[in-house]
Every structure is written in structure tokens, then in C-alpha cells.
Amino acid sequence: MSELAPQEPSVQLARVIWTLHRVLHQRQSPPSGEHRRPLAQVEVLRLVDSQPGLSVREVATVLGMQPNNVSTLVTQLARDGYLERRTSGHDKRYVELHPTDKMRTAAGEVDASLGTAITEALRQLPPEASQRIASALPDLWELAQALTPAAGQPLGRRQP
């Protein structure tokens, strides 16, 4: 990347997050016996895994997608055995999306693969850099919440 002029921290942060997102998607290995899925499918899977019980409309809102596009993605993912549609116990008109065991297994494989790649990359940095990155994580989650258009919308953050 060229070093033309110093940029505001907010611009630098946006660029590094975008770059990390792209690099992580490229490094992501598909689960055993599966093909690489389009990013939109991955985003739906990640969100439903972290927030089981969302509706198609809620997924669309959180991801900033059209509900009909999310519905198509959900149909594909359900057909492939990754998502399950369930009628809500509170309102029979409401359909909730839930991850299947197949999806949780696949997500575990992908997370392990990405975790290994990130661990290897962090080992290449000075220990102080790794510590600063780890220390910044809670603040980055708060920033993500502050950037969320509607307060209270789920972010896809899996609680420890």
C-alpha cells in the first residue's frame, strides 16, 4: 500500500478492517468434503450460528441485505443441511432459523483453520503487538456496536 499522506485513524481503521475481512475470507478453508461458499452464505451462517432463532427478515436487517435474497440463501443452506427452519413456540406465524449439527461442525473446522492462521501471523509480530491487539478487542466490539444502525441489533458476536 502506498504511503502518500497520513490518514485519519478512522480511515486507517476502516482500511485495515476491510483488508482483514478480505484476507480472512481468502484464507478460510472450506470444511471437510465441502466447497467454498459465497461470502453472503458465510455471513448468514455466521450470524445464525451466533444468534439462533432469528427470522429471515432479522438476518436481512442485520446484514443489510434484501429479505428475498436472504430467503434464497436460507433455502440453499437448508437444502445443504446447514440451517433448519423452525416454527416459533411463541407465535406459529413466525419462522426461526437455527444451525444444524452439520453447520456447527463445519463452523468449528473453519474457526480452527482461521484461528491457526491468525495464531501463526500473531507469532510473527513482536509480543507487545500481539498484546495490544488482544487488549483492543473489547473496544473493537464496542465500536462495532456503535456502528450498528439500530441499537440492540445482534452483531454476530459469539459470547465467550
Side-chain angles (χ1 to χ4, degrees):
M1 186 164 71
S2 65
E3 299 291 327
L4 296 177
Q7 297 176 334
E8 292 292 322
S10 58
V11 173
Q12 291 181 41
L13 183 59
R15 291 182 73 131
V16 74
I17 289 171
W18 187 261
T19 301
L20 284 169
H21 182 264
R22 181 181 47 78
V23 169
L24 287 173
H25 182 64
Q26 291 171 346
R27 291 289 304 259
Q28 180 175 305
S29 299
S32 302
E34 295 291 329
H35 64 280
R36 181 181 297 270
R37 296 208 166 257
L39 184 56
Q41 286 187 10
V42 173
E43 289 180 340
V44 169
L45 289 170
R46 290 275 184 190
L47 182 59
V48 172
D49 186 36
S50 66
Q51 301 286 328
L54 293 175
S55 69
V56 167
R57 183 166 298 283
E58 290 170 325
V59 170
T61 299
V62 171
L63 296 180
M65 299 171 74
Q66 294 297 317
N68 60 323
N69 293 340
V70 172
S71 181
T72 300
L73 294 170
V74 166
T75 297
Q76 293 167 341
L77 293 166
R79 180 195 65 219
D80 293 346
Y82 287 101
L83 292 180
E84 178 183 17
R85 290 182 176 106
R86 294 184 199 159
T87 302
S88 172
H90 304 292
D91 185 344
K92 300 296 181 198
R93 298 170 295 169
Y94 186 78
V95 175
E96 300 175 343
L97 302 174
H98 292 271
T100 63
D101 289 340
K102 178 180 179 179
M103 197 284 263
R104 287 203 168 111
T105 299
E109 287 182 37
V110 170
D111 287 346
S113 171
L114 288 174
T116 298
I118 292 170
T119 298
E120 290 171 4
L122 287 170
R123 284 187 184 135
Q124 296 175 28
L125 302 177
E128 311 81 49
S130 294
Q131 291 169 352
R132 285 191 304 269
I133 291 168
S135 296
L137 292 174
D139 294 328
L140 290 170
W141 277 114
E142 285 187 39
L143 176 62
Q145 185 64 52
L147 288 168
T148 301
Q153 288 291 335
L155 290 172
R157 177 183 182 190
R158 189 181 296 172
Q159 298 295 327

